[in-house]
Amino acid sequence: MLFNSWTFLVFIVVVLALYYNLPFRWQNRMLLAASCLFYAAWDWRFLILLVASTSIDFVVGLKIHQTQSSRARTWLLVLSCGANLGILGFFKYFNFFSANAAIALAWFGLGVSAATLDLILPLGISFYTFHSMSYTIDIYRGRMVPTRSFPDYMLFVMYFPQLVAGPIARAVALIPQVVMPRAVTHSAVIEGLWLTLWGLFKKMVIADNLAPLVDATFELGQAPSGGQCLLALYAFAFQIYCDFSGYTDIARGLARLMGFQL
């Protein structure tokens, strides 16, 4: 479900209509359900992976807070980071490393086939992994106490505006906004609408219109000229910048419409 799609427009209108008419506690439950629906629209199977992997940090966060031994606290943090980075590394780099290991072994005359699994990279895995890790790290550093509400913790991790491409928010900054009632002011709505529209402009008008120019240069059948290379280089830089910063502005704008500050 892309931010610049008609499906998402219907989705966000329904979410905001419900949000503005629900009491605080039900707002959180509705946002969590909406975030699950948002992610499951891509592939519901990876929603199970998301919940399973981030549940580790919820339990570890409670254990770190309850444990007095600095050594035990350190090992619990290592467990959290190791589990998160292990899952991330497996899905993101297994095929890459297995293919390159086979090439390296071939240099020594060892004919080994690459055991690739053709893994599908779960949507937003880097972002929600580091979101979740920030939770245990902030607890370990004594910057916050863990929340005992698993739904509130999952909303922090899965909050749909920032779920698939950030911005990455520290737990110490976002969880207090999750667990406390939020005020939606007139100025916040104006700021949210402006950020959302500005982000859509950068994404749809600038980035999406630079993409054909860049693709045409890189797909030339013959070597492009120096001028074409230079133009494509700068066009690609602006395309990537406007694509990511546009997404970030939309995420921040949608959050402001709900009283969050990313």
Side-chain angles (χ1 to χ4, degrees):
M1 197 184 304
L2 300 174
F3 279 173
N4 57 331
S5 67
W6 290 111
T7 304
F8 183 77
L9 178 61
V10 174
F11 172 82
I12 193 61
V13 167
V14 172
V15 167
L16 290 175
L18 291 172
Y19 186 84
Y20 294 146
N21 288 282
L22 289 172
F24 162 66
R25 188 51 57 184
W26 283 103
Q27 285 179 338
N28 281 4
R29 300 299 176 262
M30 185 276 296
L31 287 178
L32 179 57
S35 298
C36 290
L37 177 62
F38 177 82
Y39 195 79
W42 175 70
D43 192 324
W44 67 267
R45 294 171 298 175
F46 288 114
L47 181 61
I48 299 173
L49 174 67
L50 191 160
V51 174
S53 64
T54 54
S55 296
I56 296 172
D57 292 323
F58 177 74
V59 175
V60 170
L62 291 172
K63 292 295 184 181
I64 290 176
H65 183 66
Q66 295 166 358
T67 302
Q68 299 300 318
S69 168
S70 60
R71 182 181 179 85
R73 285 164 54 86
T74 300
W75 277 111
L76 284 167
L77 182 65
V78 170
L79 170 64
S80 168
C81 293
N84 279 289
L85 295 177
I87 294 171
L88 176 63
F90 178 75
F91 278 96
K92 203 161 190 177
Y93 299 114
F94 179 83
N95 288 346
F96 172 80
F97 283 117
S98 63
N100 281 275
I103 294 172
L105 290 172
W107 291 347
F108 297 97
L110 300 174
V112 178
S113 62
T116 57
L117 300 177
D118 293 325
L119 295 173
I120 300 174
L121 186 66
L123 186 67
I125 186 171
S126 297
F127 295 96
Y128 71 69
T129 295
F130 290 117
H131 265 121
S132 190
M133 283 176 58
S134 79
Y135 176 73
T136 51
I137 292 171
D138 283 339
I139 294 171
Y140 176 81
R141 291 177 172 174
R143 295 179 176 176
M144 62 174 292
V145 296
T147 175
R148 296 188 176 275
S149 170
F150 185 68
D152 284 346
Y153 163 76
M154 288 307 300
L155 178 57
F156 152 70
V157 176
M158 295 182 62
Y159 185 46
F160 70 87
Q162 60 172 6
L163 177 58
V164 298
I168 296 173
R170 298 293 303 227
V172 70
L174 187 54
I175 283 188
Q177 299 181 63
V178 171
V179 300
M180 296 295 291
R182 299 166 293 273
V184 182
T185 63
H186 177 74
S187 60
V189 171
I190 297 300
E191 181 186 0
L193 289 173
W194 164 250
L195 279 169
T196 302
L197 293 173
W198 178 234
L200 287 170
F201 176 82
K202 285 196 284 188
K203 163 63 181 165
M204 299 175 66
V205 177
I206 302 177
D208 288 355
N209 282 292
L210 286 174
L213 187 154
V214 174
D215 293 342
T217 303
F218 289 134
E219 292 171 1
L220 286 176
Q222 56 188 9
S225 66
Q228 288 174 315
C229 286
L230 189 63
L231 179 62
L233 175 68
Y234 283 106
F236 188 54
F238 278 101
Q239 176 196 345
I240 292 297
Y241 171 76
C242 288
D243 197 76
F244 277 91
S245 72
Y247 190 104
T248 297
D249 286 344
I250 297 169
R252 291 179 59 221
L254 295 175
R256 291 301 289 144
L257 294 175
M258 290 175 263
F260 289 92
Q261 179 73 57
L262 297 183

